[in-house]
Amino acid sequence: MKSKPEDLSPQELRLRIRRGEWDKPTPGLAMGYAQANVVVLPSQYAFDFFLFCHRNPKPCPLLEVLEPGRYEMDSFASGADIRTDVPRYNVFHYGDLEDTRKEIQDLWQDDFVTFFLGCSFTFEEALIRTHIPVRHIEEGKNVPMYITKIKCRDGGIFRGPLIVTMRPIPHDKVSRAVQITSRYPFVHGAPVHIGSPERLGIEDLLRPDFGEPVKVMQGEIPVFWACGVTPQAALMDARPDICITHTPGHMFVSDILNEELAAF
């Protein structure tokens, strides 16, 4: 009997992705293991992007960086190949999204530098363990993501708005959700905002800029966390000749345990 995707190990899931058998969003998959946002850039832009991440650690927490041209990994994800092991890739040319595809082998360049950034899917396991609902997993959807009016700090040629994810949390569990997610600074940490989406410049929770809308039920508060899609907005503004990222919600699944990224 074939294993369900949520029951697979990271290595098994990456192999299934590599074979083209899974190209959907990854929330709830390989539970217990850290997922990562991916940015691939020519080396001429790498320092500026590193600087942008350093200056904006909430939305851009760096987990790993590969040397120019390197596409295989060891300890971070044994046997992985960044050219094939993401469910879906976005390919940008001069800031324009020109293609979404399942692999990037034919696009690979010897000067490509790959960045892995922490993803809030990591702390969702801890929320679920303490009986705090994670609505997009309950509804089988991609997490809703919104562009805010908050500006990130510039890093070289990279600049842009903060992007956030939203999870509805029951009133009486908000403080606990803050405590739990604060333990994971390498995957966005504590929320950046609670309630009042209009203060972030979000006009309609039912119309996310990325992902899918979820229900906010009576007695719940929308809670917002910094999102690793933030670099994609900065990349579109900087307009490098080529850039490759994961498609929002379609993450790289590592061999790192979520608890290895907990601060205490």
Side-chain angles (χ1 to χ4, degrees):
M1 184 175 179
K2 199 169 186 179
S3 298
K4 297 179 181 179
E6 58 267 28
D7 297 329
L8 297 175
S9 70
Q11 296 90 344
E12 291 169 332
L13 179 59
R14 290 195 301 268
L15 183 59
R16 186 170 290 190
I17 291 168
R18 188 181 302 180
R19 293 195 299 242
E21 297 172 4
W22 183 269
D23 63 353
K24 301 184 182 81
T26 54
L29 303 188
M31 290 296 281
Y33 291 89
Q35 300 192 23
N37 301 277
V38 175
V39 173
V40 181
L41 283 164
S43 59
Q44 70 185 90
Y45 308 109
F47 177 77
D48 280 4
F49 186 72
F50 182 88
L51 186 61
F52 180 79
C53 294
H54 175 73
R55 290 178 173 171
N56 300 280
K58 285 288 279 187
C60 308
L62 278 174
L63 297 179
E64 179 64 285
V65 183
L66 301 184
E67 293 85 351
R70 186 176 177 189
Y71 51 82
E72 295 180 328
M73 286 152 276
D74 39 43
S75 59
F76 185 69
S78 179
D81 187 330
I82 193 56
R83 304 171 303 173
T84 58
D85 294 0
V86 172
R88 281 199 172 273
Y89 301 82
N90 280 350
V91 181
F92 298 86
H93 288 281
Y94 297 101
D96 295 324
L97 176 60
E98 293 197 349
D99 195 10
T100 297
R101 47 160 66 199
K102 295 182 182 181
E103 53 84 22
I104 55 170
Q105 288 176 293
D106 60 317
L107 297 178
W108 193 258
Q109 299 177 183
D110 290 340
D111 67 337
F112 272 170
V113 177
T114 303
F115 295 83
F116 296 92
L117 288 73
C119 170
S120 58
F121 292 171
T122 291
F123 61 60
E124 290 179 345
E125 180 199 16
L127 294 175
I128 292 169
R129 280 203 317 265
T130 52
H131 307 291
I132 295 175
V134 179
R135 187 62 37 74
H136 61 275
I137 292 180
E138 292 176 346
E139 296 183 357
K141 294 180 177 179
N142 197 355
V143 64
M145 295 162 265
Y146 306 85
I147 299 171
T148 74
K149 64 181 180 182
I150 298 172
K151 298 298 181 183
C152 293
R153 293 182 63 196
D154 294 354
I157 65 171
F158 296 102
R159 58 185 55 82
L162 172 68
I163 295 175
V164 295
T165 56
M166 188 280 292
R167 294 164 184 80
I169 305 293
H171 285 78
D172 61 347
K173 295 186 177 181
V174 170
S175 61
R176 185 64 179 142
V178 172
Q179 291 173 338
I180 290 169
T181 57
S182 295
R183 295 184 60 233
Y184 298 91
F186 299 106
V187 289
H188 307 306
V192 295
H193 188 74
I194 297 172
S196 304
E198 65 277 3
R199 293 189 177 182
L200 293 175
I202 299 171
E203 296 180 0
D204 188 353
L205 289 177
L206 294 178
R207 298 180 64 186
D209 296 288
F210 308 97
E212 300 171 273
V214 297
K215 295 177 183 176
V216 180
M217 300 180 182
Q218 188 172 359
E220 293 181 333
I221 299 175
V223 181
F224 301 90
W225 281 265
C227 177
V229 177
T230 297
Q232 296 200 19
L235 291 161
M236 292 170 72
D237 180 82
R239 300 180 65 81
D241 57 313
I242 186 170
C243 173
I244 301 169
T245 72
H246 67 289
T247 297
H250 299 66
M251 319 305 293
F252 178 84
V253 180
S254 79
D255 294 344
I256 304 299
L257 288 169
N258 291 333
E259 284 305 304
E260 293 182 65
L261 299 177
F264 54 89

